[in-house]
Amino acid sequence: MIFSKSAIWLLCALLLLSVFMANLLNIIATDQNFYSDNKNLSVNYTKHLERKIGQITDTSENLIWFLQISDIHISIFRDPGRITQFQQFCDSTVKKIKPMAVLASGDLTDAKAKDNLGSSQVKQEWVYYSSIIKESGVTADTIWLDIRGNHDNFNIRSINSEENYFKNYSVQGPNHPKSYLHVLEKNGVSLAFVGIDACPEPGLRRPFNFIGMLDAQEQQMLEKLKKEAESKADYIVWFGHYPTSCIISIEKDSERLDLRQLIGSSPASRAYLCGHLHAMGGLVPKMYTKQKRGFLELELEDWKDNRMYRLAAIDHGHFSFVDQKHNVWPLVLVTNPKHARYNLPGREPLNLIHSSTYIRIIAFSDVNIDMVKVSFDKDSWMNCLHKEGPLYVCKWLPHLFNNGLHYLYVAATDELGREAFLKHPFSLDGTSVYFEIIPRILLMVNGGTVFQSIFGTLLIINVLPLVILRFHKTPPKIRRRYGYNFVKRVWLLSKIDRVFWPIVLYAIYLPFGPWAIGKLLDEHIGVIFAWGIVIKGVFLPEPFTYMYGGVQLMFIQIPLVHILAYCLEIRLFKSNIRGARRLIMQLPFIFLLSIQLLLAYFFWLEYGTLSFLFGPLRTWSVVLTILLWYRTITLPVDYCSKLRKLDQTPT
């Protein structure tokens, strides 16, 4: 059977797509069972917990709860509500919930200039943060565990520099400037919190600090903290600012720490709690997954714009959580039976749920709770009995729910008549509820690899078609007229040496040559490459540069080829047009040039005059664009004649 070229290309595309999808699905698979992969370790650990806990009853023993808040972004230039409502959170919310700890997982301050482009530490923002915590007295009743985020590391030369206000104005900074361990014991629960500081040193100005980095020293520290946590606590909760997908470990002596491997290697690890991604602007509000090593990774939507916080609990060895908007009451969390999506086989004593005698719920409000009730069918409701503190219990018969997925409905009402209602899936036979695809991709795929892949793909799209068309004696045959005319224009453009070579060579230059030389830190000049940044004699393998270059390729270089091809058509076949109509025909170029000038201006605001002058990526590309446009619209007459004859060659 003879296949057409289109069919062959389609088959190749489908093959590549199927390989890509197979690899992606393997990367984001969440059906790994820690128990089956680590049977002996899991059996010993869960048996130890079962012996220690005994049975799930109606007391507050073996119950502990805590809060998380992330991406506060205290700013003196924008949105005063961040400060006033953060003060309410400390003055009221924390005191009503009375958590054993509050995790503040980075970006405590905004550190952005009034123009929203420049970035540097603002002392007054740190003073606000420190004053609110001190004046609220929140640390007298709970443990406040804060850690740095990338905004808290803007324009900081080293961890010991004066501009690193975290070490003086945070709660943990004076004693723990980077990663640290805190062990909490209450109600028969020993819980270790491991804070991961992945801020690179030095800390550059934005935007080249999106990815967190763990150097050799910090990798050794985390391994030490993990061993210490295992020796002191039954459960470990890890927290930091960056998701694991946005953290790279710097290799030293052919060794590199796999952070997910480190967290997952301990059966005591329950979850890694983070922020940083701001729920992708609110588009992915529940960014949760279970990593291949069997622990949960839970990104928390930001406080900055959405005023979100998280309530989490460990009840009889089972980890549960709920994310809540500020000032929305009542706040309700079911701790037994465990939510089916978040079961952790091999890490939690799930067998205890089978023999438990009580449904267990913790409920809070800023006023008294009037009633908590539960139902399995939304028709027959049972009132829960209030025990100590926020704990509400109701007797149940778990053997009635041995098979399949079931739902528990919970309604809580406070004395102001406000009601919270939730639908809680659970299973006793391991039936699970799947995690959504997009959160899994964002949290499980390596961010640096994604940025490199996007940049590489755009580079190929920018260069390969031009090179292929240059070697074609005639434009490729395309059935659709519009497509054929479009390809023909680019084909003609590829024949012009004075345009073809600058476009191709500039694109080839981007993966290798410096993009800018300038003050990436106050008083320190650095060099930006696609593959990283060199400053202060230190190489920072910052993968976000690939995304930054990808913007140039996607929105400047690729459109430039199309616009030049369009200008060439005007020069060859519409040169007799004059006046306003000719100006209108150049509007695409004017629009593209405006975007380039705007990007170059933003780069100047971010990194100063030196980087603007010595900036091949942004500033020099403006000059190149103008030069190529001018060469195209002023193409010599003899060149035009050759191209017209070429266009008339029979196909």
Side-chain angles (χ1 to χ4, degrees), residues 143 145 181-185 190-193 228-229 232-233:
I143 304 298
L145 304 175
L181 167 71
H182 185 89
V183 179
L184 193 62
E185 295 187 13
S190 57
L191 172 60
F193 292 102
E228 187 178 351
K232 293 182 177 180

Side-chain angles (χ1 to χ4, degrees), residues 373-391:
K373 58 183 181 178
V374 298
S375 172
F376 293 102
D377 57 11
K378 292 197 288 186
D379 291 325
S380 304
W381 290 90
M382 300 175 288
N383 289 330
C384 294
L385 178 65
H386 180 218
K387 303 298 286 187
E388 183 182 354
L391 180 61

Side-chain angles (χ1 to χ4, degrees), residues 22-239:
N23 287 329
L24 178 62
L25 291 174
N26 180 57
I27 291 172
I28 66 173
T30 59
D31 55 357
Q32 286 81 1
N33 190 314
F34 182 77
Y35 173 78
S36 61
D37 294 340
N38 306 269
K39 190 171 183 179
N40 292 332
L41 183 64
S42 297
V43 168
N44 293 335
Y45 174 70
T46 53
K47 290 294 184 185
H48 160 72
L49 290 182
E50 289 172 7
R51 288 193 300 268
K52 180 178 180 179
I53 294 169
Q55 190 176 10
I56 300 177
T57 60
D58 63 344
T59 70
S60 60
E61 279 296 301
N62 294 299
L63 171 64
I64 193 171
W65 64 92
F66 58 93
L67 298 178
Q68 181 196 0
I69 185 171
S70 190
D71 298 273
I72 305 170
H73 285 263
I74 287 177
S75 172
I76 63 173
F77 298 114
R78 53 192 63 84
D79 191 6
R82 294 180 204 169
I83 297 175
T84 57
Q85 290 184 297
F86 177 61
Q87 190 164 15
Q88 291 172 10
F89 175 79
C90 295
D91 283 336
S92 178
T93 304
V94 176
K95 293 180 180 179
K96 293 294 182 183
I97 296 176
K98 297 180 181 177
M100 285 62 181
V102 176
L103 313 180
S105 53
D107 279 2
L108 311 175
T109 65
D110 199 43
K112 285 163 66 175
K114 193 172 183 178
D115 59 15
N116 211 31
L117 291 171
S119 53
S120 190
Q121 297 304 303
V122 181
K123 186 176 182 179
Q124 187 60 41
E125 294 176 349
W126 285 98
V127 170
Y128 275 123
Y129 174 76
S130 178
S131 298
I132 289 171
I133 293 174
K134 288 180 180 178
E135 292 173 6
S136 68
V138 67
T139 54
D141 301 314
T142 190
I143 304 298
W144 191 278
L145 304 175
D146 43 19
I147 201 88
R148 294 190 303 164
N150 60 314
H151 281 246
D152 307 316
N153 194 42
F154 280 156
N155 198 33
I156 292 181
R157 288 166 287 179
S158 73
I159 193 73
N160 296 314
S161 66
E162 293 182 3
E163 294 79 14
N164 181 22
Y165 296 121
F166 178 81
K167 67 179 182 180
N168 296 319
Y169 291 94
S170 68
V171 176
Q172 297 298 324
N175 299 317
H176 305 292
K178 295 207 76 176
S179 302
Y180 62 90
L181 167 71
H182 185 89
V183 179
L184 193 62
E185 295 187 13
K186 192 167 185 178
N187 292 343
V189 178
S190 57
L191 172 60
F193 292 102
V194 181
I196 300 176
D197 187 321
C199 291
E201 186 174 342
L204 304 180
R205 296 170 179 163
R206 64 191 301 265
F208 297 123
N209 59 359
F210 183 79
I211 299 293
M213 300 181 197
L214 296 173
D215 58 24
Q217 181 179 352
E218 206 62 22
Q219 293 174 42
Q220 292 173 1
M221 172 61 74
L222 290 176
E223 290 175 335
K224 177 183 175 183
L225 293 177
K226 179 229 172 188
K227 292 178 182 178
E228 187 178 351
E230 287 179 311
S231 67
K232 293 182 177 180
D234 290 322
Y235 318 108
I236 305 175
V237 170
W238 304 72
F239 71 100

Side-chain angles (χ1 to χ4, degrees), residues 507-524:
I508 294 174
Y509 167 85
L510 290 181
F512 305 104
W515 289 359
I517 301 172
K519 286 190 176 181
L520 309 183
L521 279 171
D522 285 347
E523 302 176 2
H524 289 280

Side-chain angles (χ1 to χ4, degrees), residues 226-284:
K226 179 229 172 188
K227 292 178 182 178
E228 187 178 351
E230 287 179 311
S231 67
K232 293 182 177 180
D234 290 322
Y235 318 108
I236 305 175
V237 170
W238 304 72
F239 71 100
H241 181 64
Y242 303 88
T244 58
S245 60
C246 297
I247 298 177
I248 61 173
S249 297
I250 299 176
E251 184 176 308
K252 186 176 182 181
D253 299 329
S254 301
E255 293 185 2
R256 178 183 297 173
L257 173 75
D258 185 327
L259 182 59
R260 293 169 182 164
Q261 172 74 20
L262 178 71
I263 296 174
S265 62
S266 173
S269 295
R270 292 297 184 268
Y272 175 67
L273 311 180
C274 60
H276 187 50
L277 296 182
H278 294 253
M280 301 306 289
L283 298 175
V284 191

Side-chain angles (χ1 to χ4, degrees), residues 68 112 218 232 248 251 318 326 361 366 388 422 434 444 466 505 560 591 608:
Q68 181 196 0
K112 285 163 66 175
E218 206 62 22
K232 293 182 177 180
I248 61 173
E251 184 176 308
H318 304 115
H326 178 58
I361 299 167
D366 56 348
E388 183 182 354
L422 60 90
Y434 291 106
M444 300 180 76
L466 274 175
L505 292 177
L560 175 62
F591 179 71

